[in-house]
Amino acid sequence: MKSLRARLLAGSVLWTIGLIVVTNALTLSLIFHRFAGPVVHIGAMSMLAAGLLIAGLSQLRSVLAPFRQLQSRLAAVRDGSSARVEGVFPREVAPVITDLNALLDHRAQLVQRAIAKAGDLAHGLKTPLAVLGQESERLSAAGQHEAAAIVAQQVERMRRQIDYHLAQARAAGSGAALGATCPVAASAEGLARTLNRLYVERKVAVALSVPASHCVRVQREDLDEMLGNLLDNACKWARSRVS
């Protein structure tokens, strides 16, 4: 794309020449206003001056166009419809766009690593908790009901804490992951097919009414988990239909 410096210089030159022509035309008009001969000449000069002024103004306005485009691209990144600043920009602006995209990519990688580590930590803790749960059952079978109840209560409490903080981390990651969007219909339709098979014996049917264009700012895995929990609870308590 043509550089901003060249556009600004061209616009300034055209505007200046236009002003000079306007000044000359006005001067000639004042000098020869009593003569009919120079009218055509002065009219032509006026048309030339107007053309130069319009061309200069157009060039100067075009200098601002890349910044309006940049504003629009940044708004798209902010609302999640784009993960990077895309577009063709002048040479003076292009290095800034490159650095900004590198920063956005690095941020997205950090968010993904944080989510992965939170998931690894949660899975690493769930195995020891499962062992403690089994020990609670052994204590109960051995007649130590009070000790078994205490262990089971604490295990369940730790599980809830793990699930809560893992959900918080994933939700924060989805919100921080710029450009993360997911169509609701695709996720809901897959879950509805699964739940219709699971609850076929109870004759509970899941009916969907979701616009195809409806999207949310989360990743597909997170939306599946949230909708899955919601629809599964609905199917457990519904008599015959979940809408």
Side-chain angles (χ1 to χ4, degrees), residues 12 14 57 72 90 93 107-108 110 154 164 181 183 187 198 203 205 216:
S12 301
L14 290 172
L57 181 61
S72 174
V93 182
R107 183 174 182 269
L110 290 178
Q154 295 304 313
Y164 171 77
T181 58
S187 178
L198 289 175
K203 298 181 180 180
V216 290

Side-chain angles (χ1 to χ4, degrees), residues 3-228:
S3 69
L4 291 178
R5 185 180 305 172
R7 289 184 180 186
L8 183 60
L9 180 61
S12 301
V13 169
L14 290 172
W15 184 265
T16 302
I17 294 175
L19 289 178
I20 293 174
V21 174
V22 167
T23 303
N24 289 335
L26 290 175
T27 302
L28 290 174
S29 177
L30 290 174
I31 294 175
F32 301 107
H33 68 282
R34 292 185 178 180
F35 299 92
V39 172
V40 176
H41 179 63
I42 294 174
M45 291 182 64
S46 299
M47 293 179 61
L48 175 62
L52 289 171
L53 290 174
I54 293 173
L57 181 61
S58 176
Q59 283 292 322
L60 292 175
R61 284 176 59 86
S62 70
V63 173
L64 300 177
F67 296 99
R68 290 193 291 268
Q69 181 186 9
L70 177 58
Q71 182 182 20
S72 174
R73 297 294 188 271
L74 288 174
V77 171
R78 185 176 61 252
D79 64 25
S81 59
S82 178
R84 306 176 87 250
V85 179
E86 305 291 349
V88 180
F89 295 91
R91 292 193 297 270
E92 293 84 353
V93 182
V96 178
I97 303 302
T98 300
D99 291 341
L100 179 59
N101 282 329
L103 179 62
L104 292 173
D105 293 340
H106 179 63
R107 183 174 182 269
Q109 292 173 3
L110 290 178
V111 170
Q112 292 300 322
R113 283 201 291 267
I115 295 174
K117 286 188 176 295
D120 293 341
L121 177 61
H123 291 303
L125 291 173
K126 284 182 178 181
T127 299
L129 287 177
V131 174
L132 290 175
Q134 293 175 355
E135 290 301 319
S136 172
E137 294 175 358
R138 291 194 184 97
L139 289 173
S140 179
Q144 301 181 33
H145 301 293
E146 183 177 354
I150 293 174
V151 173
Q153 181 183 13
Q154 295 304 313
V155 167
E156 181 60 27
R157 181 179 179 185
M158 285 187 284
R159 280 177 178 161
R160 286 199 303 269
Q161 288 292 320
I162 291 172
D163 291 340
Y164 171 77
H165 288 291
L166 179 59
Q168 288 286 94
R170 295 185 66 181
S174 289
L178 298 175
T181 58
C182 177
V184 176
S187 178
E189 287 170 359
L191 291 168
R193 286 193 297 268
T194 301
L195 292 171
N196 281 330
R197 288 194 297 267
L198 289 175
Y199 291 94
V200 64
E201 294 183 358
R202 288 189 50 209
K203 298 181 180 180
V204 174
V206 179
L208 299 179
S209 178
V210 184
S213 61
H214 186 47
C215 296
V216 290
R217 286 190 58 190
V218 297
Q219 298 182 10
R220 175 64 183 269
E221 297 80 6
D222 298 325
L223 181 60
D224 286 347
E225 183 175 349
M226 289 186 288
L227 284 181

